[in-house]
Amino acid sequence: VPGTILVTGASAGIGRAVAKRFLAGGWNVALLARRQALLDQVAQGNDTALALACDVADEAGVDTAFASTLARFGRLDVLFNNAGVFPPAATIDEVALADWQRALDVNLTGMFLAARAAFRAMRHQTPRGGRIINNGSISAHVPRPGSVCYTATKHAVTGLTKALSLDGRAHDIACGQIDIGNARTELLEAHVARLRAADPAAEEPPTIDVALVADAVWNMAQLPLSANVQFMTLMATRMPYIGRG
Ligand SMILES: NC(=O)c1ccc[n+]([C@@H]2O[C@H](COP(=O)([O-])OP(=O)(O)OC[C@H]3O[C@@H](n4cnc5c(N)ncnc54)[C@H](OP(=O)(O)O)[C@@H]3O)[C@@H](O)[C@H]2O)c1
């Protein structure tokens, strides 16, 4: 087996595509998300898959999931730190504290908990080291309108990536970030549906297939630990991001 990866948010969207890509490549894949039935579907027919139903914001749940992964596969080579939510669009004056806190719990504390468990395992295993790939976003750089919670969490993910890259050096732990723009997933479909509801004449946004994201994460993971893709921006060519307008 070429390696072991744990994917958070593996029940749908980008995480599911990445999990399937690594299963197809012969890796051991630990699948983490809340919806057990969907994880079982991804795992079905693969004896190198391990489905672990868990909320990434639950400290004990995350630690148990990592312990199960290490017990089953013996080590952890890569964490794809991906689970995330996109709260409904609103300006800050209309954001309930509970919505802000839930975004922080999943998109930031969840990534912290998974990265902490991965870092611990990678630092102390033999051979030492591993790779953490955080899923940022174009929103780690520039916001969409009405996305204060999401944008704040994704900017914070960039800080997490940089700090782990620095602290990981001494332990052969590489940490990089993929920043995606408009991959077709449930998260994006929900966003487009909301745009449509607000403006039925709204144009369809340009999107990319999640399989392209899965290939990009696969390529990041193929590097030796002495090399790292620190940041990769993978986006629909025609979406607004670079420059004005
Ligand atoms: N799609 C895009 O264009 C795009 C662009 C930039 C960044 N991203 C980022 O990519 C990541 C995945 O997004 P996606 O588009 O694939 O979204 P998605 O299709 O909605 O999938 C989200 C995944 O995260 C999991 N998840 C959500 N809350 C969770 C929790 N509390 N605990 C455990 N798992 C949880 C979901 O599983 P359960 O519901 O089963 O728990 C699901 O597997 C997010 O971090 C998002 O910010 C996406």
Side-chain angles (χ1 to χ4, degrees):
V1 176
T4 297
I5 184 171
L6 186 148
V7 178
T8 69
S11 63
I14 292 166
R16 180 176 56 202
V18 167
K20 285 185 168 175
R21 180 69 184 82
F22 280 78
L23 284 170
W27 282 52
N28 296 322
V29 182
L31 310 151
L32 196 153
R34 290 164 306 173
R35 291 172 289 177
Q36 175 86 50
L38 293 183
L39 292 180
D40 289 342
Q41 277 177 23
V42 181
Q44 206 172 28
N46 288 291
D47 22 315
T48 63
L50 176 64
L52 300 161
C54 165
D55 187 323
V56 286
D58 172 21
E59 180 181 23
V62 170
D63 286 347
T64 302
F66 274 79
S68 304
T69 302
L70 295 171
R72 167 79 183 271
F73 299 129
R75 61 181 282 115
L76 181 67
D77 298 293
V78 178
L79 163 66
F80 184 45
N81 210 0
N82 162 76
V85 291
F86 190 87
T91 50
I92 191 167
D93 52 310
E94 292 172 344
V95 174
L97 181 59
D99 289 340
W100 164 261
Q101 270 167 345
R102 186 64 188 154
L104 280 171
D105 283 350
V106 179
N107 294 3
L108 189 55
T109 304
M111 289 224 185
F112 162 81
L113 290 172
R116 185 178 70 168
F119 197 105
R120 263 185 201 145
M122 290 166 177
R123 179 177 181 169
H124 298 295
Q125 65 192 359
T126 314
R128 191 172 76 151
R131 187 183 306 279
I132 297 171
I133 302 172
N134 291 329
N135 197 343
S137 173
I138 295 289
S139 295
H141 303 269
V142 291
R144 287 181 189 278
S147 68
V148 63
C149 303
Y150 188 75
T151 299
T153 63
K154 289 298 180 176
H155 275 64
V157 169
T158 301
L160 182 70
T161 299
K162 290 179 177 176
L164 297 186
S165 296
L166 182 56
D167 292 347
R169 276 186 208 161
H171 309 289
D172 298 315
I173 298 169
C175 179
Q177 180 167 319
I178 185 162
D179 293 317
I180 298 157
N182 287 3
R184 268 192 308 281
T185 64
E186 284 165 36
L187 182 144
L188 191 79
E189 302 287 350
H191 170 74
V192 173
R194 288 195 292 253
L195 288 181
R196 277 273 150 69
D199 175 11
E203 259 183 52
E204 186 76 21
T207 57
I208 57 172
D209 194 295
V210 279
L212 300 176
V213 179
D215 282 338
V217 174
W218 171 263
N219 288 325
M220 288 167 90
Q222 297 312 303
L223 293 173
L225 287 179
S226 53
N228 188 33
V229 177
Q230 184 64 65
F231 290 99
M232 178 191 285
T233 308
L234 178 60
M235 53 182 269
T237 308
R238 292 182 174 222
M239 68 182 284
Y241 171 48
I242 293 295
R244 301 178 188 206

